């Protein structure tokens, strides 16, 4: 595993971090709140998608503790976000898990950040659309982000609740959004596919194509991705497995968006529904990478690829949990995280 040094974490050109004598996170000292002639800038918001059903995991994996102190993967994401400079957190959840979610994680994080909740429900659809009879499956990650439209008004970072991304990703994304203010200027954090697979089943990954300028030129959501020797392979629409080199860049759904992307989603998601709901009314989903791909095709987005040195850790299947617990233990032993995240 790549060893992230404390110097990398706490002494970047963006954020001067402070740890107290007990190793606890203190408020970051940020010199970029006011730039461009001293005018106040809107700080990016962190948006965490936590409404998924976790069907392959066998439960609500976003709420399953991953250390002996009861911290879930979201705790580590929020901890990393706060020390990168974020102050506002939006959790996308369902009303059905609201009470448990707040008891497990929301209430304690409200002491450290400005926390808001957005609810992703099946009937939150654009005008003219209705929930097909018998549908229980959520509409996908594009719909999740669109549900935030009335709450998130400025730049934002969007990510999954059940992935561990590493500290560097948050610093990279936060710095990008402070420096790039164009409505349609966005970024994505890239990982090598070989480091994002599990030995316990298949996963879904956004396979990326990056141009010579370092910008995303295409992204395709691939399902049933498995480890194939020292490579990866995904199942195409004909049931054939296509191999990919282990160093293929993939998205783990960590995005840095300027406000123009919300405007794109407002028009794009209804178009998706018009096309997909008649073909597959019970299971069609609009994945965020697919919506980004359509924005690229329409010339409505420029997406910079930001590579992180950190290794992704995640739980797709129940059998992945012991590996994640051991990995987090190792990061604490290296001093990358304090033994207890929150006081």
């Amino acid at each position: 595993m790549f060893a992230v040094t404390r110097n990398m974490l706490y002494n970047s050109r963006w954020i001067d971090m402070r740890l107290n004598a007990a190793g606890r996170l203190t408020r970051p000292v940020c010199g970029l709140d006011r730039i461009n002639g001293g005018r106040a800038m809107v700080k990016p918001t962190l948006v965490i998608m936590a409404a998924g059903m976790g069907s392959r995991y066998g439960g609500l994996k976003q709420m399953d503790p991953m250390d002996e102190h009861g911290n879930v993967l979201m705790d580590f994401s929020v901890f990393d976000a706060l020390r990168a400079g974020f102050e506002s957190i939006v959790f996308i959840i369902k009303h059905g898990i609201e009470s448990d979610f707040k008891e497990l994680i929301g209430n304690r994080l409200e002491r450290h950040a400005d926390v808001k909740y957005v609810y992703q429900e099946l009937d939150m659809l654009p005008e003219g659309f209705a929930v097909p009879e018998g549908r229980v499956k959520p509409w996908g990650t594009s719909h999740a982000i669109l549900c935030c439209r009335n709450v998130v008004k400025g730049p934002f970072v969007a990510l999954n609740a059940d992935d561990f991304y590493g500290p560097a990703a948050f610093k990279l994304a936060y710095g990008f959004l402070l420096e790039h203010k164009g409505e349609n200027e966005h970024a994505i954090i890239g990982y090598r596919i070989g480091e994002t697979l599990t030995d316990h089943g298949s996963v879904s990954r956004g396979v990326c194509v990056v141009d010579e300028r370092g910008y995303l030129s295409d992204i395709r959501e691939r399902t049933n991705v498995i480890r194939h020797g020292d490579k990866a392979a995904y199942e195409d629409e004909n049931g054939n497995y296509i191999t990919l080199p282990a160093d293929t860049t993939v998205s783990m759904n960590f995005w840095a968006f300027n406000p123009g992307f919300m405007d794109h989603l407002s028009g794009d998601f209804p178009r998706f529904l018009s096309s997909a709901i008649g073909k597959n009314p019970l299971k069609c989903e609009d994945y965020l990478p697919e919506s980004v791909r359509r924005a690229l095709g329409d010339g409505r987005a420029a997406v910079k690829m930001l590579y992180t040195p950190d290794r992704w850790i995640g739980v797709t299947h129940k059998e992945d949990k012991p590996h994640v617990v051991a990995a987090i233990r190792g990061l604490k032993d290296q001093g990358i995280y304090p033994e207890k995240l929150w006081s």
Side-chain angles (χ1 to χ4, degrees):
M1 180 180 295
F2 181 87
V4 183
T5 67
R6 292 176 70 84
N7 184 60
M8 285 178 58
L9 296 181
Y10 306 127
N11 295 294
S12 75
R13 69 189 182 95
W14 297 109
I15 304 295
D16 179 20
M17 295 308 306
R18 297 287 186 262
L19 292 181
N20 62 22
R24 297 300 178 90
L25 178 69
T26 61
R27 185 177 179 84
V29 180
C30 181
L32 293 181
D33 290 346
R34 292 182 178 274
I35 59 176
N36 294 339
R39 289 178 294 172
M41 305 298 292
V42 178
K43 280 193 169 187
T45 297
L46 180 67
V47 177
I48 300 181
M49 297 178 282
M53 299 174 69
S55 57
R56 284 178 293 188
Y57 190 74
L60 291 172
K61 56 184 173 177
Q62 66 268 37
M63 296 167 65
D64 196 359
M66 294 294 160
D67 71 5
E68 59 270 39
H69 302 291
N71 292 304
V72 300
L73 289 180
M74 280 179 285
D75 280 290
F76 293 91
S77 289
V78 172
F79 185 86
D80 286 334
L82 293 179
R83 61 181 171 180
F86 291 87
E87 295 178 354
S88 299
I89 316 293
V90 172
F91 289 111
I92 305 174
I93 62 175
K94 296 184 295 186
H95 284 290
I97 66 170
E98 179 179 9
S99 178
D100 289 341
F101 187 93
K102 289 182 176 180
E103 181 179 352
L104 179 68
I105 184 171
N107 292 340
R108 71 168 170 265
L109 294 183
E110 289 174 7
R111 300 195 298 269
H112 302 276
D114 175 22
V115 174
K116 294 183 175 65
Y117 297 91
V118 166
Y119 302 92
Q120 182 186 14
E121 302 292 349
L122 280 179
D123 59 357
M124 295 177 65
L125 292 174
E127 186 176 353
F129 294 93
V131 180
E133 184 178 355
R135 178 163 184 130
V136 296
K137 194 175 186 65
W139 294 107
T141 47
S142 294
H143 177 249
I145 297 302
L146 188 56
C147 290
C148 296
R149 182 172 176 81
N150 293 328
V151 175
V152 178
K153 298 297 186 180
F156 65 98
V157 162
L159 50 84
N160 295 335
D162 52 5
D163 290 305
F164 175 95
Y165 295 99
F170 293 87
K171 289 171 57 179
L172 287 166
Y174 188 84
F176 176 90
L177 289 174
L178 288 182
E179 190 172 79
H180 298 82
K181 309 306 293 185
E183 287 288 300
N184 296 316
E185 288 187 274
H186 316 304
I188 180 176
I189 301 295
Y191 294 82
R192 291 185 291 272
I193 194 171
E195 297 180 350
T196 71
L197 302 176
T198 172
D199 293 325
H200 304 294
S202 65
V203 296
S204 296
R205 297 290 179 259
V207 178
C208 302
V209 179
V210 183
D211 67 21
E212 66 278 359
R213 301 174 301 125
Y215 280 80
L216 190 68
S217 61
D218 193 18
I219 182 169
R220 300 277 177 166
E221 184 76 8
R222 301 301 187 185
T223 58
N224 292 328
V225 182
I226 59 172
R227 195 182 301 279
H228 185 72
D230 60 354
K231 299 180 181 180
Y234 68 88
E235 187 178 13
D236 68 12
E237 58 273 13
N238 298 316
N240 301 313
Y241 274 92
I242 310 299
T243 58
L244 295 169
D247 62 354
T248 299
T249 300
V250 294
S251 160
M252 298 306 302
N253 241 13
F254 192 123
W255 302 89
F257 290 122
N258 271 302
F261 190 71
M262 280 291 192
D263 295 332
H264 161 73
L265 280 178
S266 295
D268 187 64
F269 184 65
R271 288 192 292 270
F272 164 80
L273 289 177
S274 295
S275 171
I277 203 168
K279 301 174 184 176
N280 192 0
L282 300 186
K283 293 187 177 181
C284 64
E285 286 185 84
D286 193 15
Y287 299 111
L288 201 49
E290 292 299 308
S291 187
V292 171
R293 182 178 62 82
R294 295 192 292 268
L296 292 173
D298 293 342
R300 297 196 60 182
V303 182
K304 179 69 174 176
M305 177 61 70
L306 304 176
Y307 294 97
T308 174
D310 294 343
R311 186 167 185 169
W312 168 89
I313 307 168
V315 283
T316 303
H317 305 274
K318 198 75 173 180
E319 294 82 1
D320 295 326
K321 182 176 177 177
H323 166 73
V324 175
V325 171
I328 288 174
R329 178 71 265 164
L331 292 170
K332 288 184 177 184
D333 291 343
Q334 293 176 49
I336 294 173
Y337 295 97
E339 183 59 38
K340 293 184 178 179
L341 295 185
W342 315 109
S343 56

